[in-house]
């Protein structure tokens, strides 16, 4: 199918350029690893009367949260890349060819998905010596969930970028949207520690469901409802948002 | 190969009440025959890029219609894309990529298989002499190298019609001459070429026919020699020394302009950059008369220059302004 071929083509181009720039990739890993090493010990202390008695427990709670934070912010800044490609005339050059318009967008988004999943794999490997233990099957499902999450945040970022068309506004909007979403998803500190009204508000945050699902997977409780609920919410929203961004993108780009 | 009738484009800028419309192209008609090199000549903001972007399916015309290589632009843009190549005014290459990578990508976006795309890239590198830097990062290229790559990208799929938006803007004279050779070579390969430029000499020596565009309208159209023939005779340019404003005599230019515009041997007089451009039948007979008229008025002319009419004179005659800054 043409769209699959074209998506793969753009993905290869974008990923190829990313790989040629390993310094960037290394830098984007610095933050999650710093958090992993410096923040998890705090969490162990805080969570001690909720059953987190060991580092293994702390990481089992914290690593999934870190995945969500990476998935959220990794994707939310993808709009910058799209804007600079638009400005550089790269998108115009592609749009004069018969290449699939959705492929142009999806190939780019999938590059961010694979970048973030790769980072998650590295974070997992770093956390292992600190005592993280998780079933391989559950871990793989977590990666898949992370992938869908990145697809959602990337396409949200594309939506905003295509609407505002300007890097400064994109930066402001992404931060105003991203901060409350990540706090209300309990990515740093689990929501069980939050006051009741925050917990209630978090029910309306799709990323909170995904975080809970991710934590359940790490805790080995794959049968919990929140796993499929979180996944379904993410898949539905990602599909809707991708549909919308490809509509915005397919509109006249002037 | 290209036929446009009443092509229009207006942009809305701003939001809500402050919104205004910019009439970028106000209805242009033109036709380009197979194998021709036709140029749009016009100043900044004339609507050249906007017209080209409409024809290249990048923006939707607000009105009018066009057929490209027998395909209707509005009804089947996807079919048009298979038949055209486009080089934008600003190049659309990845800074961190290389010429070879981008050429392969471009051919693959046109649906070629990987191995065919690689062969096409090799051929394009040879044809456009990109060998020396084909595997270097594009951000290290010179302006001329980058522009050659842009054109190579635009023609990698051997389109029937090629659109070039200011192919030589910002290039030094040797690179420009080289680009002209590339464009002529493409025509020899059977392409029809539609380009924009704001260089007079480029329109003059490269294009078979020229449309002069200003303010979104075509003000003149024809072969460069026909256009210049419309301005019959010679062009005499008279400069005036900077006047001494202290004695109250003021500027000589307006007085001289008024005087000579009324002279029977002058067809038209246009002030351009502190000099007076005079259109006359024959410079040889007009210059003595001009001198005498000026001296009689007590005006001391500076340098006097005479030449054959250029496309700039055509532009001046049609719009009252000069293209040359
Ligand atoms: N996207 C846009 N939104 C609003 N106005 C635009 C847009 N694109 C072009 N214009 C306006 O339309 C007019 C024509 O622009 P265009 O780029 O076609 O000129 P041009 O002849 O290519 O000039 P140049 O020689 O500077 O490239 C200008 O007044 C420009 O400001
Ligand atoms: Mg232009």
């Amino acid at each position: 199918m043409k769209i699959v071929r074209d998506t793969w083509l753009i993905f290869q181009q974008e990923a190829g350029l990313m790989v040629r720039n390993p310094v960037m990739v290394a830098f984007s890993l610095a933050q999650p690893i710093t958090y992993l090493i410096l923040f998890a010990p705090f969490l162990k202390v805080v969570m001690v009367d909720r059953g987190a008695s060991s580092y293994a427990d702390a990481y089992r709670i914290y690593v999934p949260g870190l995945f969500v934070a990476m998935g959220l912010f990794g994707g939310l800044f993808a709009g910058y890349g799209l804007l600079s490609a638009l400005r550089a005339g790269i998108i115009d050059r592609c749009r004069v060819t018969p290449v699939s318009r959705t492929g142009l967008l999806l190939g780019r988004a999938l590059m961010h998905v694979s970048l973030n999943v790769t980072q998650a794999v590295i974070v997992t490997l770093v956390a292992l010596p600190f005592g993280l233990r998780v079933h391989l099957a559950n871990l793989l499902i977590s990666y898949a969930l992370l992938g869908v999450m990145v697809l959602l945040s990337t396409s949200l970022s594309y939506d905003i970028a295509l609407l505002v068309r300007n890097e400064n506004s994109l930066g402001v909007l992404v931060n105003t949207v991203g901060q409350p979403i990540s706090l209300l998803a309990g990515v740093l500190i689990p929501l069980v520690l939050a006051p009741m009204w925050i917990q209630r508000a978090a029910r309306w945050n799709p990323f909170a469901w995904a975080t809970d699902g991710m934590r359940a997977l790490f805790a080995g409780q794959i049968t919990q409802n929140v796993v499929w609920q979180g996944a379904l919410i993410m898949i539905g929203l990602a599909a809707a948002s991708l549909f919308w961004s490809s509509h915005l993108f397919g509109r006249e780009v002037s | 190969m290209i036929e446009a009738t009443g092509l229009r484009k207006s942009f809305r800028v701003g939001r809500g009440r402050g919104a205004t419309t910019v009439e970028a192209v106000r209805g242009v008609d033109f036709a380009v025959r197979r194998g021709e090199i036709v140029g749009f000549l016009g100043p900044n903001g004339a609507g050249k890029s906007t017209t080209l972007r409409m024809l290249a399916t990048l923006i939707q015309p607000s009105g009018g219609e066009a057929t490209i290589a027998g395909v209707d632009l509005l009804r089947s843009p996807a079919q048009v894309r298979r038949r055209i190549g486009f080089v934008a005014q600003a190049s659309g290459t990845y800074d961190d990529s290389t010429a070879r990578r981008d050429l392969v990508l471009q051919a693959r976006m046109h649906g070629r298989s990987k191995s065919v795309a690689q062969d096409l890239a090799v051929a394009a590198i040879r044809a456009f002499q990109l060998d020396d830097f084909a595997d270097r990062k594009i951000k290290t290229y010179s302006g001329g190298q980058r522009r050659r790559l842009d054109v190579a990208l635009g023609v990698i799929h051997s389109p029937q019609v090629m659109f070039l938006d200011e192919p030589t803007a910002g290039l030094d004279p040797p690179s420009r001459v080289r680009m002209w050779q590339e464009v002529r070579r493409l025509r020899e390969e059977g392409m029809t070429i539609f380009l924009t430029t704001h260089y007079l000499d480029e329109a003059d020596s490269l294009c078979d026919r020229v449309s002069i565009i200003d303010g979104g309208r075509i003000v003149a159209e024809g072969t460069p020699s026909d256009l210049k023939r419309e301005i019959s005779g010679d062009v005499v340019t008279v400069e005036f020394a900077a006047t001494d404003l202290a004695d109250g005599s003021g500027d000589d230019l307006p007085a001289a302009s008024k005087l000579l515009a009324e002279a029977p041997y002058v067809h038209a007089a246009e002030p351009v950059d502190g000099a007076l451009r005079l259109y006359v039948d024959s410079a040889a007979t007009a210059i003595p008369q001009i001198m005498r008229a000026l001296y009689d008025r007590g005006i001391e002319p500076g340098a006097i220059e005479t030449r054959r009419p250029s496309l700039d004179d055509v532009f001046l005659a049609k719009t009252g302004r000069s293209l040359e800054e």
Side-chain angles (χ1 to χ4, degrees), chain A residues 5 14 88 92-93 252, chain B residues 53 60 91-92 94 102 106:
Chain A
R5 174 198 183 270
E14 296 290 323
D92 273 357
R93 165 154 79 90
E252 165 177 304
Chain B
R53 289 166 58 77
Q60 192 110 41
S91 72
Y94 291 82
D102 268 25
Q106 185 77 5

Side-chain angles (χ1 to χ4, degrees), chain A residues 254, chain B residues 11-13 22-25 42-51 89 165-166 196 198 213:
Chain A
S254 49
Chain B
F11 293 105
R12 277 181 72 77
V13 283
V22 179
E23 300 285 342
V25 179
N44 290 136
K48 305 183 295 291
S49 298
T50 306
T51 307
Q89 189 167 351
D165 199 354
E166 309 217 0
T196 73
H198 58 247
I213 180 169

Side-chain angles (χ1 to χ4, degrees), chain A residues 124-148:
Chain A
T124 316
L125 294 177
V126 171
L128 284 179
F130 290 97
L132 174 74
R133 291 294 172 267
V134 52
H135 279 297
L136 186 62
N138 290 5
L139 183 65
L140 293 179
I141 297 172
S142 305
Y143 290 154
L145 182 56
L146 172 67
V148 180

Side-chain angles (χ1 to χ4, degrees), chain A residues 36-48:
Chain A
L36 193 65
I37 294 169
L38 298 181
F39 191 80
F42 284 93
L43 200 65
K44 175 178 167 266
V45 178
V46 177
M47 293 293 286
V48 76

Side-chain angles (χ1 to χ4, degrees), chain A residues 68 141-153 185 202-217 221-239:
Chain A
V68 176
I141 297 172
S142 305
Y143 290 154
L145 182 56
L146 172 67
V148 180
M149 211 180 291
V150 178
L151 215 49
L152 169 58
S153 58
R203 290 213 180 168
W204 296 97
N205 178 4
F207 282 88
W209 290 81
T211 314
D212 287 348
M214 196 84 98
R215 288 214 167 102
L217 284 167
Q221 298 157 345
I222 191 171
T223 50
Q224 271 193 29
N225 282 340
V226 73
V227 173
W228 67 262
Q229 287 164 341
L232 209 62
I233 291 172
M234 285 293 119
I235 291 171
L237 288 177

Side-chain angles (χ1 to χ4, degrees), chain A residues 5 9 13-14 16-17 20-21 88-90 92-99 101 108 163 252-253, chain B residues 9 15 53 58 60 81 86 91-94 96-98 101-102 105-106 108-112 153:
Chain A
R5 174 198 183 270
L9 184 64
Q13 168 79 358
E14 296 290 323
L17 290 175
R20 291 169 127 236
N21 209 342
I90 293 169
D92 273 357
R93 165 154 79 90
C94 299
R95 282 164 43 93
V96 181
T97 73
V99 76
R101 268 97 254 267
R108 285 186 157 70
L163 286 173
E252 165 177 304
V253 176
Chain B
K9 181 72 193 180
R15 293 220 174 103
R53 289 166 58 77
L58 283 172
Q60 192 110 41
R81 286 184 200 115
F86 173 65
S91 72
T93 42
Y94 291 82
D96 287 327
S97 185
T98 66
R101 277 184 71 98
D102 268 25
L105 172 71
Q106 185 77 5
R108 299 212 65 202
M109 288 197 295
H110 277 288
R112 307 295 192 272
L153 286 165

